[in-house]
């Protein structure tokens, strides 16, 4: 893989980076979004859209369903000079760039349910109110789907077609899963995993309490997996460090070769009892 330097438009606080990944002859862009829901998140882009990292700063944003549908993480892009409020979700930005505006009453969704897989062929335009697809499945009631055809020249032709087909693929065979598995371990996550946890100390420098995760949703810690808790504290937690969360034993076992390098046994605060006053 070739690492491409990414510009943060003058120095954004989110450290975006772009990676060019060759997956089965297909060249993709992988953008580091930063930490969200307990782990480092990445977004997938088509090769022609990698240049966006020179124009925008990228970050991860969590959208919580107020009706109890859990939470989802999206890639968000904004112009640093204009501030975060000027930005937009990447999937919306790309649809408007390649397929035109989004009419009132419609929304752009991800066909495979992976909300950071922003390849154009993974985006669909559907009526609002359509239930978002679970990971690995395509939504019903599709209005338009973006397709890309490669010509004999170096350019690509983009079409936004009417489609009604629905198919499904297992997450282990998805393009996003394959691409993220090719990434090297994040050096910050591998060697300084504890930096992602907020801790509180007393005047003696002793840890008295970790961050309150009572109202936090977590995504499975295994990098390729995008399963997220639909209920608070739904996932199992690493019994050693009590920080990494997993949707099941499969992902926990697959992640262990990398996670064990930063996994540290969680020690309970040592309480010194004062002798009774005389």
């Amino acid at each position: 893989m070739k690492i491409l330097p990414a510009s943060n438009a003058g120095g954004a606080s989110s450290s975006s980076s772009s990676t060019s990944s060759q997956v089965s002859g297909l060249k993709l862009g992988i953008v580091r979004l930063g930490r969200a829901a307990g782990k480092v998140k990445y977004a997938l882009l088509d090769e022609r859209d990698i240049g966006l990292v020179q124009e925008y700063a990228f970050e991860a944003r969590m959208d919580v369903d107020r009706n109890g549908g859990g939470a989802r993480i999206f890639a968000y892009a904004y112009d640093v000079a204009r501030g975060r409020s000027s930005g937009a979700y990447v999937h919306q930005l790309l649809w408007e760039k390649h397929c035109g505006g989004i009419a009132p009453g419609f929304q752009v969704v991800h066909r495979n349910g992976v909300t950071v897989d922003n390849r154009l062929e993974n985006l669909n335009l559907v009526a609002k109110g359509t239930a978002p697809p679970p990971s690995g499945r395509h939504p019903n009631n599709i209005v338009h789907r973006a397709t890309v055809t490669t010509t004999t020249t170096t350019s690509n032709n983009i079409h936004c077609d009417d489609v009604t087909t629905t198919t499904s693929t297992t997450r282990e065979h998805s393009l996003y899963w394959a691409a993220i598995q090719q990434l090297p371990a994040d050096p910050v996550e591998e060697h300084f995993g504890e930096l992602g946890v907020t801790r509180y100390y007393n005047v003696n420098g002793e840890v008295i309490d970790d961050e309150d995760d009572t109202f936090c949703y977590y995504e499975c810690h295994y990098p390729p997996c995008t399963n997220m808790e639909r209920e608070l504290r739904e996932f199992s937690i690493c019994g050693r460090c009590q920080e990494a969360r997993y949707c099941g034993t499969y992902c926990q076992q697959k992640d262990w070769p990398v996670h064990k390098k930063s996994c540290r046994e969680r020690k309970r605060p040592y309480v010194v009892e004062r002798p009774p006053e005389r």
Side-chain angles (χ1 to χ4, degrees), residues 211-264:
E211 62 180 339
D212 182 9
D213 61 356
T214 305
F215 301 102
C216 294
Y217 288 93
Y218 283 87
E219 188 173 86
C220 180
H221 193 265
Y222 184 42
C225 183
T226 57
N227 286 339
M228 180 171 283
E229 294 176 321
R230 296 186 64 84
E231 298 179 0
L232 296 172
R233 299 187 178 185
E234 175 185 358
F235 288 169
S236 60
I237 192 170
C238 175
R240 191 179 184 205
C241 67
Q242 297 186 28
E243 293 177 5
R245 290 166 170 79
Y246 298 95
C247 63
T249 55
Y250 173 83
C251 287
Q252 185 171 8
Q253 292 173 355
K254 296 288 288 186
D255 190 48
W256 177 242
V258 174
H259 177 58
K260 68 180 180 181
K261 298 177 182 179
S262 61
C263 184
R264 300 291 183 271

Side-chain angles (χ1 to χ4, degrees), residues 156-187:
N156 291 330
N157 292 330
I158 301 174
H159 306 282
C160 298
D161 304 322
D162 295 334
V163 295
T164 55
T165 58
T166 59
T167 59
S168 63
T169 57
T170 60
R171 60 177 187 170
E172 290 81 2
H173 295 90
S174 69
L175 189 59
Y176 178 84
W177 187 280
I180 300 303
Q181 279 190 318
Q182 292 191 25
L183 289 176
D186 187 279

